[in-house]
Amino acid sequence: QRLAARFDASAGLTAQVDIRGLLPETRYHWRLVRSDGTPLPARAGFVTAPKAADKRSVKLLFGADLGGQGYGRLAPGNPSGRTGWPIFEAMRAESADFFIALGDMLYSDRPVSTEAPDKIFSKGNAFQLPKPGPGYVSTLDDFRRDWLYHRHEEHIDRFYRSTPLVATWDDHEAANTHMGDLLPGNPDPEAGRALKAAAYQARGAHLPVRLDA
């Protein structure tokens, strides 16, 4: 199939395509091609689910809470020899049928400094790549900036290119412990609705969630 997708700044340089008519339990490969036919480096693949009546074992991974409690992407040159989000390289090696992201795949309400909090590192280190911005988002551009920090990394990129993803949500992808339209410390429901709308739009662009749902 050849499907058109438009990448521009209005969607944070992301795009979605809705693919129909795929066969069950079949491996598919895809790549990006410019409108003039020039192929881009981006390539990936996935395997579709079996038929509903077919019973077989599957291998799944699950996880959540990426970039919370001050943990960020490891910087090159740190004593561990690892960089970025190294857990995703170990996950990719499992060759799972799919990954369930159980929410908080972004901590939009927490800063990430240069100091890695892991106990294997000395205090006052500079072994992390800091997250741009103040750490507490308030606009759609802020959410997009934070998602880019999380996703623009080689290990998570390779993992998502090879493993299907099912995503749920949790509070930190918008604001800590928010309830309905109310944000912590802010009694104005309009402010809560505006922040949630921005959060859901950015989240839907970076995870397999229908933006029109």
Side-chain angles (χ1 to χ4, degrees):
Q1 297 187 42
R2 181 181 290 267
L3 301 171
R6 182 180 179 85
F7 297 83
D8 57 33
S10 67
L13 299 180
T14 66
Q16 288 189 355
V17 293
D18 193 357
I19 306 174
R20 307 279 179 167
L22 300 180
L23 299 175
E25 204 161 355
T26 301
R27 175 165 291 281
Y28 289 89
H29 300 271
W30 63 264
R31 67 177 181 174
L32 295 179
V33 179
R34 294 182 185 273
S35 58
D36 63 4
T38 305
L40 296 174
R43 293 172 178 264
F46 61 90
V47 177
T48 52
K51 293 180 180 179
D54 292 346
K55 294 183 178 180
R56 69 169 181 85
S57 298
V58 296
K59 186 177 188 179
L60 66 90
L61 301 174
F62 62 89
D65 299 272
L66 183 64
Q69 291 76 50
Y71 286 84
R73 290 163 46 185
L74 290 175
N78 74 80
S80 74
R82 299 173 177 175
T83 60
W85 305 118
I87 184 63
F88 286 96
E89 198 63 23
M91 292 165 64
R92 187 171 72 96
E94 293 292 331
S95 299
D97 291 291
F98 60 96
F99 169 54
I100 302 177
L102 296 172
D104 286 345
M105 296 301 288
L106 170 79
Y107 269 68
S108 63
D109 53 2
R110 294 289 187 274
V112 172
S113 71
T114 58
E115 182 176 353
D118 197 293
K119 293 181 179 179
I120 68 171
F121 300 128
S122 60
K123 290 286 187 180
N125 67 74
F127 298 149
Q128 285 190 158
L129 298 176
K131 187 168 68 173
Y136 292 84
V137 302
S138 58
T139 67
L140 177 58
D141 285 340
D142 291 340
F143 280 109
R144 287 172 171 167
R145 179 197 63 224
D146 279 13
W147 275 108
L148 185 61
Y149 172 85
H150 280 64
R151 292 293 299 272
H152 191 61
E153 190 277 325
E154 59 177 339
H155 301 306
I156 195 171
D157 182 58
R158 283 198 294 261
F159 177 71
Y160 282 153
R161 286 174 188 256
S162 63
T163 309
L165 168 64
V166 178
T168 63
W169 69 276
D170 209 350
D171 57 341
H172 291 286
E173 290 158 345
N176 184 36
T177 62
H178 69 84
M179 298 180 63
D181 293 332
L182 297 179
L183 302 175
N186 190 338
D188 181 9
E190 288 297 328
R193 282 191 284 270
L195 186 72
K196 286 200 316 180
Y200 295 166
Q201 182 175 343
R203 175 183 174 273
H206 287 88
L207 293 175
V209 178
R210 294 181 188 275
L211 292 176
D212 58 353

